[in-house]
Amino acid sequence: MYKRFYSYLECHSILYPSQFGFRRKYSTNHTLLSITESIRNSIDNNEFGCGIFIDLKKTFDTVNHSILLSKLHHYGIRDVAYDWFQSYLSNRQQFVCANGNDSKRLSITCGVPQGSVLGPLQFLFYINDLPNASESLTFHLFADDTNIHCACKNLIDLEHKLNHELSAVAEWMKSNRLALSIVKTSFILYHSKKLKPYKTFNLKINGVNIQQVSKVKYLGVTFDANLTWKSHNDELC
C-alpha cells in the first residue's frame, strides 16, 4: 500500500515540491540549500529577509483521523482504497502494562500508526496543504520541521506582512488540530551589511511574541544569521 500510495502522490504531483522529508532523492542538505538560496536571493535584491523556524508539538501523535480521511477523499483516494485506509486507522486501541498489570484499553482517535513505512507518508500527506495557508510566504518542510521565509524592501512592511500571514498559518494549525510550540519557535532577521535594522522587529502568533535569535539548531545543524550552517566536519558558507 505504501508503494501504491507514494506512486499516486508522485504521479499526480500532489506532494508539496519543497517537502524534503521521507521522499526519495531528497535529504536534509536539500532543505538547507533551499533555505540558504532563498535568503541569499533576498540579500542580493537588497531586501530584509526573515526566516521563521516553526516547532510543532507531538505532530505524529496528533494527526486527526477524520481530517486525514477527508483529505484522502479530496485528493481522489476513494472507494476500495479509501475503505482500506479507513479500516487501517479504525478500531485501534492502546494500553499500558506495568509490573505485569495491564491498564484499561482506550480507543485511539488520532495519530498515525508508528513503526511502519506508511505512518510517515500519511503525515506528509496530512500537512501537505500547510503552504496553502499563505500565498506570500515561502515554506521549506522536512516532515514536521518547518521553515518559513519572507522578504521585503521595507522592514515595517515585512513585519506587517509576516504578522498578518502568520495569523493565517495559526488558523490552519487550529483547523487541523496541530499544536504549535511558540516557546520553541524562533526567527532570524537577515540583511546585507549595507542595510541596518532601524526598528525593533516584533513577530507574534496568537498574540504571543516569537523569540528573535542569531542562531538556531535546525535539522541537526546550527544555522545562523551569517548564512553559515555546520554539521560535524561539513560546512557551507
Side-chain angles (χ1 to χ4, degrees), residues 4-234:
R4 292 179 63 185
F5 187 32
Y6 186 82
S7 177
Y8 179 83
L9 296 177
E10 289 290 309
C11 180
H12 294 281
S13 301
I14 293 174
L15 289 178
Y16 181 62
S18 291
Q19 170 60 265
F20 299 95
F22 304 120
R23 299 179 68 183
R24 301 186 191 102
K25 300 181 180 180
Y26 289 82
S27 69
T28 53
N29 279 358
H30 290 117
T31 315
L32 295 168
L33 287 168
S34 182
I35 294 170
T36 303
E37 188 65 20
S38 293
I39 296 167
R40 284 183 170 163
N41 283 338
S42 64
I43 291 177
D44 289 343
N45 292 329
N46 202 34
E47 295 176 316
F48 288 99
C50 184
I52 305 171
F53 299 84
I54 300 291
D55 188 275
L56 298 174
K57 298 178 182 178
K58 299 181 180 179
T59 47
F60 280 70
D61 296 327
T62 54
V63 170
N64 183 275
H65 292 172
S66 297
I67 295 175
L68 175 58
L69 288 170
S70 68
K71 291 186 179 187
L72 288 168
H73 189 274
H74 174 77
Y75 281 99
I77 299 174
R78 298 166 187 169
D79 302 323
V80 175
Y82 177 88
D83 292 342
W84 187 94
F85 275 104
Q86 188 176 43
S87 175
Y88 179 73
L89 295 170
S90 300
N91 300 319
R92 289 182 174 271
Q93 295 183 324
Q94 63 183 5
F95 68 95
V96 175
C97 179
N99 298 324
N101 298 313
D102 295 346
S103 68
K104 293 182 179 180
R105 294 176 181 266
L106 296 175
S107 297
I108 300 174
T109 59
C110 60
V112 293
Q114 298 184 42
S116 70
V117 294
L118 193 56
L121 185 57
Q122 286 179 309
F123 177 77
L124 293 191
F125 180 77
Y126 189 81
I127 66 167
N128 190 61
D129 59 328
L130 168 58
N132 293 340
S134 171
E135 296 181 355
S136 303
L137 304 180
T138 300
F139 291 79
H140 303 90
L141 308 175
F142 192 92
D144 58 335
D145 290 305
T146 303
N147 171 267
I148 297 174
H149 181 262
C150 187
C152 283
K153 295 281 187 181
N154 186 287
L155 194 60
I156 296 175
D157 291 341
L158 178 61
E159 182 182 64
H160 176 76
K161 185 177 184 179
L162 274 171
N163 279 307
H164 180 269
E165 297 302 320
L166 285 174
S167 295
V169 173
E171 187 61 32
W172 184 93
M173 298 286 183
K174 181 179 178 181
S175 298
N176 287 271
R177 300 184 184 181
L178 293 177
L180 176 67
S181 176
I182 300 180
V183 175
K184 295 182 180 180
T185 295
S186 58
F187 74 89
I188 297 178
L189 191 63
Y190 302 97
H191 54 85
S192 66
K193 293 181 180 180
K194 295 180 180 179
L195 287 176
K196 298 297 181 181
Y198 47 84
K199 67 178 295 295
T200 303
F201 196 75
N202 293 311
L203 295 183
K204 294 184 178 182
I205 297 180
N206 294 328
V208 181
N209 285 318
I210 305 174
Q211 180 184 13
Q212 180 175 358
V213 296
S214 59
K215 293 183 179 181
V216 63
K217 194 169 184 180
Y218 182 71
L219 298 179
V221 304
T222 299
F223 199 80
D224 66 37
N226 295 320
L227 299 188
T228 302
W229 53 269
K230 297 180 180 180
S231 176
H232 304 294
N233 295 324
D234 298 329

